Amino acid sequence: MNAARTEHTDRAEHTDRAENVTRFHPTDLVLAVRYVERQLTERPGSAAAELIGSAGLAGLWDSAELAEGLDELFDGLAQYPWHHLVDSDEVVEYAPVGTVVLDDLRPGNTLRGLLLAWATGNEVVIRTVREPFWAALVEEMRAAGVPLPPARTAPRGAAVDGRPVTVPDLLVPADLADGIVTTAAARPGVPALRVRAGAGRGTEAAARLAAGALRLDCRSAWVGDLYRCDYLMGTRLADARSADAAQEDERLAAKLRYLVELARRAPYYRELPPIAERADLAELPVLEKADLERNSLPASRGLSSGARPSGEVLRSGATTGAPRYIVYSRGDWNNMMREAVPLFYALGLRPGDRVINSLFGGGLYGGLITSAMELSRMPVEAYSTAQMITPDDVLMLTRSFDANVILGQPALLLPVLREAKLLDPGLRIQKVVYGGTPMQESDKRWLREELGTEVIASVLAANDGAQLGYQCGELGGTLHHLCEDYNLIEVVDEQGRPVPDGTAGELLVTSMQKFEGPLIRYRIGDLGRIVRHACGCGVTGRVLEYLGRSDGQIKVKGRTVLYGEIMAELGRFRVSQLQVEINSSDARETVTVRTESPVPLDPQEVRAHLAARFEVLSEYHSFDASLTPFELVVECHAEGALPRNAVSGKIKTVIDRRLT
């Protein structure tokens, strides 16, 4: 935490401060620097370029270096003002010290102090003999149109209330001295940042020094004078965000401003208009799947920013189409890891847990690799078997390593666990965390009754954008807390217009912390509704009721029945997996219902039940009595019998042969 002061506060103090203090966001400062940077490169004759050039300060405007430096400083720029403590599932909150006073002895030092004092949310007073210059520079930065803290000038030597901060010189060898930004000798009583270049690399070091100065500053002790850290004992990241309701809109607006500006680096988003507020998001175009596929690898680099290569490339499961490749920059990848750890805690993991990870992996599919890396940051022991897990693996790991948690996808997990239970009736699994597809209530009941499972929790995720929501111990069914600081979800009608809370519609996802291959208002193909909910876990806010795939509509005889409705009705038969196929031949539509269940089922009994429950699946029709335009066929299979996608392990839920 550098030299920053750390204090213990309780949640009430934290909430009171959050409601009464205007917060400024470091991402807005980065955008202001980016704005000036573009003036210097794209409009060399502009007033900003002339003003900055006259003081020899052009080399300090590097928004990418500043962003990476602030990301290191706060251990997660995207999580600001909080930093999650991995080992305790608590948070530290950053706050400005108030008013920072800078004495303008060297303009490069003063500018570094101004930018980083603003990045940490402080008001700045510059004591200087060049008041018009600094007043003009501040106005040039405000022209970026983003919220920035107050700043003013005062005569040199004037008495000013605030915290005086001395910005150290950069001390380099005399032959590398570079005008105002660097100096060959430190002034008496002023600390220096020493820069040493390797043999024969002096010229390169000099060229890089100015652009990298702010990132170097972010690693230096003097910046600790600009902020304080409050240790929020007993407060989780979700608690802190929930208590921040008064500033939630502005916090998310700052993230959106930053996302949209960085997205404009990609050819596809080059003409995207900037936004100022959260409500402006609804004015942006919807990203359809076809557009995503046309502008993503391997088809195109339309969604690529052109930034230096880093990070990881994953691929979609291609359950409903050709595979797509999903690029994460190093920063994107780190953001995913940072957000996933508190999510795992919210799902029920605790320090000391021993986790069997059976998520799918291989062929660039990301489930296993992302979860394995996320678990490696936590104080848990993990055993990554991937989809190759066997009942013998489960028994060995529970007996020899005392594994108490299993993570996976229901289509794979349940058959393996049932077979392991047959081999060892004493098998116990304390916690089951699952994703990919919903788990039926009958299967949850089996886990509780047969394996003594205490925690059964779902994480809702999308291939392109990672986690969307999660279940705490107080939520059941298909209700999920939202991860809106990571993936912002809108519920819209078919035209992409937002619908009121409580109304079902299609889900759009905006990935708030993914800047390479950005997703803005991406229609993921799922249905849901959002309601406000004060949860027993202590988190209050918007909760998503997940309603399944938007392509899960079975339309026959001119009428519609939802896949989820059929699945819910088959719960009494202990059906764990369902596939519906629709064919049309010789003027007759055939709906074939295929089930998996741990117990033998009578197809005729299931067929009769569905026909009685859903008129659209019955023999009733409004055509001529001599015609037979419809047939319902039921096939009942043992668990594990239906074909799984080779990459994702999922079962294709609805197959409409009429469309192929």
Side-chain angles (χ1 to χ4, degrees):
M1 298 179 188
N2 297 329
R5 184 164 50 94
T6 302
E7 298 176 352
H8 296 263
T9 67
D10 61 25
R11 191 182 301 179
E13 292 172 334
H14 157 66
T15 303
D16 180 69
R17 185 174 64 251
E19 291 178 350
N20 292 287
V21 176
T22 300
R23 181 188 301 135
F24 295 93
H25 297 269
T27 48
D28 282 330
L29 184 277
V30 175
L31 294 184
V33 171
R34 179 173 168 81
Y35 169 81
V36 174
E37 182 182 14
R38 293 177 67 177
Q39 298 295 304
L40 298 176
T41 58
E42 298 174 10
R43 300 179 58 203
S46 65
E50 291 183 3
L51 181 73
I52 292 167
S54 68
L57 298 176
L60 281 171
W61 301 88
D62 189 321
S63 58
E65 284 286 325
L66 175 60
E68 292 200 18
L70 292 173
D71 193 64
E72 293 176 16
L73 175 63
F74 297 121
D75 197 17
L77 180 59
Q79 287 189 341
Y80 184 87
W82 302 287
H83 163 52
H84 181 254
L85 303 176
V86 170
D87 288 342
S88 65
D89 192 29
E90 297 170 312
V91 293
V92 165
E93 183 179 62
Y94 296 102
V97 296
T99 299
V100 169
V101 182
L102 301 172
D103 286 309
D104 178 31
L105 302 179
R106 295 183 183 276
N109 291 18
T110 306
L111 179 58
R112 288 158 53 210
L114 170 65
L115 296 181
L116 290 174
W118 265 0
T120 45
N122 296 283
E123 177 185 11
V124 177
V125 179
I126 301 174
R127 291 191 291 207
T128 179
V129 297
R130 295 175 290 188
E131 291 187 73
F133 170 80
W134 289 110
L137 182 61
V138 166
E139 287 309 306
E140 289 294 343
M141 293 189 66
R142 293 201 188 283
V146 295
L148 296 172
R152 58 188 173 90
T153 62
R156 181 176 290 182
V160 177
D161 289 334
R163 174 177 291 188
V165 172
T166 299
V167 181
D169 293 329
L170 292 174
L171 181 59
V172 298
D175 61 334
L176 297 186
D178 188 12
I180 295 170
V181 176
T182 64
T183 180
R187 287 168 284 123
V190 177
L193 300 176
R194 298 185 63 85
V195 179
R196 300 178 64 183
R201 303 189 65 179
T203 302
E204 177 189 346
R208 291 173 47 200
L209 186 57
L214 292 171
R215 187 170 185 180
L216 182 62
D217 283 328
C218 289
R219 298 168 174 166
S220 305
W222 75 268
V223 174
D225 290 335
L226 302 176
Y227 65 94
R228 73 168 188 264
C229 294
D230 295 341
Y231 170 31
L232 306 186
M233 184 178 291
T235 300
R236 302 166 301 170
L237 181 59
D239 296 328
R241 286 171 171 168
S242 176
D244 198 51
Q247 299 205 45
E248 179 185 68
D249 277 349
E250 180 50 37
R251 186 180 79 242
L252 296 181
K255 284 182 165 65
L256 286 169
R257 288 191 290 268
Y258 190 63
L259 168 66
V260 169
E261 177 57 34
L262 294 192
R264 283 150 56 94
R265 300 175 303 179
Y268 179 79
Y269 281 128
R270 189 153 292 153
E271 303 304 319
L272 197 68
I275 66 173
E277 301 178 353
R278 181 178 178 178
D280 295 340
L281 179 64
E283 303 301 318
L284 300 184
V286 172
L287 176 63
E288 303 289 356
K289 183 177 179 182
D291 295 321
L292 178 65
E293 291 177 346
R294 279 195 296 267
N295 289 278
S296 297
L297 294 171
S300 164
R301 292 187 176 270
L303 280 167
S304 299
S305 71
R308 63 188 181 202
S310 65
E312 188 79 21
V313 177
L314 307 177
R315 62 162 278 184
S316 68
T319 305
T320 57
R324 195 168 53 251
Y325 292 87
I326 305 152
V327 181
Y328 287 84
S329 71
R330 180 174 59 184
D332 298 343
W333 194 259
N334 284 336
N335 289 338
M336 184 201 302
M337 300 295 117
R338 292 178 183 125
E339 291 285 343
V341 171
L343 182 80
F344 273 122
Y345 276 116
L347 289 164
L349 266 64
R350 294 294 178 265
D353 276 342
R354 296 161 297 281
V355 186
I356 304 172
N357 182 1
S358 68
L359 286 172
F360 277 62
L364 297 182
Y365 190 66
L368 180 74
I369 187 172
T370 56
S371 58
M373 294 189 71
E374 290 157 0
L375 292 170
S376 72
R377 297 192 177 200
M378 298 183 67
V380 300
E381 188 169 284
Y383 325 99
S384 295
T385 66
Q387 64 268 34
M388 303 306 294
I389 190 171
T390 67
D392 287 336
D393 292 330
V394 173
L395 296 179
M396 183 277 291
L397 290 168
T398 54
R399 291 168 179 167
S400 302
F401 291 89
D402 296 323
N404 66 317
V405 183
I406 192 162
L407 169 64
Q409 208 237 83
L412 171 68
L413 270 185
L414 289 162
V416 170
L417 290 178
R418 283 198 171 96
E419 189 171 343
K421 175 69 176 178
L422 289 175
L423 295 173
D424 181 0
L427 175 65
R428 292 292 181 267
I429 297 288
Q430 183 189 12
K431 305 173 185 180
V432 174
V433 177
Y434 67 95
T437 56
M439 184 182 292
Q440 301 311 304
E441 292 303 315
S442 60
D443 293 324
K444 295 178 184 178
R445 186 166 55 250
W446 181 84
L447 290 170
R448 294 186 184 102
E449 293 175 355
E450 298 297 326
L451 300 187
T453 306
E454 300 168 10
V455 173
I456 304 173
S458 162
V459 58
L460 188 64
N463 264 320
D464 300 281
Q467 60 262 25
L468 308 176
Y470 67 92
Q471 288 186 328
C472 66
E474 301 290 329
L475 290 181
T478 59
L479 292 176
H480 293 76
H481 289 294
L482 293 175
C483 308
E484 298 207 276
D485 281 79
Y486 188 64
N487 276 311
L488 185 64
I489 292 183
E490 299 172 85
V491 182
V492 301
D493 61 20
E494 291 183 359
Q495 285 72 45
R497 298 172 300 203
V499 300
D501 283 357
T503 304
E506 297 194 54
L507 303 184
L508 303 184
V509 170
T510 297
S511 290
M512 307 284 270
Q513 300 182 34
K514 186 176 187 299
F515 306 113
E516 185 65 34
L519 302 175
I520 299 176
R521 307 196 79 209
Y522 172 46
R523 198 189 305 267
I524 59 174
D526 289 330
L527 298 171
R529 65 169 60 90
I530 288 177
V531 296
R532 299 283 305 180
H533 180 65
C535 189
C537 73
V539 174
T540 297
R542 303 198 322 155
V543 170
L544 173 69
E545 181 183 0
Y546 178 68
L547 300 177
R549 296 289 300 171
S550 57
D551 56 7
Q553 301 182 64
I554 298 126
K555 297 184 179 182
V556 289
K557 294 190 289 187
R559 299 170 64 185
T560 300
V561 62
L562 296 179
Y563 172 90
E565 293 175 329
I566 299 175
M567 189 61 173
E569 196 59 39
L570 292 176
R572 68 186 61 197
F573 294 98
R574 297 180 62 186
V575 169
S576 57
Q577 301 293 328
L578 169 67
Q579 183 180 80
V580 179
E581 181 175 327
I582 313 161
N583 274 287
S584 179
S585 178
D586 297 326
R588 182 164 69 175
E589 291 178 317
T590 301
V591 173
T592 302
V593 172
R594 303 185 181 98
T595 68
E596 285 187 3
S597 175
V599 296
L601 298 179
D602 180 352
Q604 294 307 313
E605 182 183 358
V606 174
R607 182 183 182 282
H609 178 76
L610 291 177
R613 179 63 182 84
F614 301 104
E615 186 178 274
V616 67
L617 298 181
S618 71
E619 295 180 356
Y620 171 81
H621 60 84
S622 56
F623 303 98
D624 186 279
S626 64
L627 300 176
T628 55
F630 175 79
E631 181 182 12
L632 174 64
V633 177
V634 173
E635 301 174 2
C636 298
H637 301 272
E639 278 196 318
L642 295 180
R644 268 68 169 166
N645 182 282
V647 176
S648 68
K650 297 179 182 178
I651 292 170
K652 194 164 188 178
T653 53
V654 178
I655 305 170
D656 195 337
R657 300 292 184 190
R658 299 170 301 183
L659 304 178
T660 59

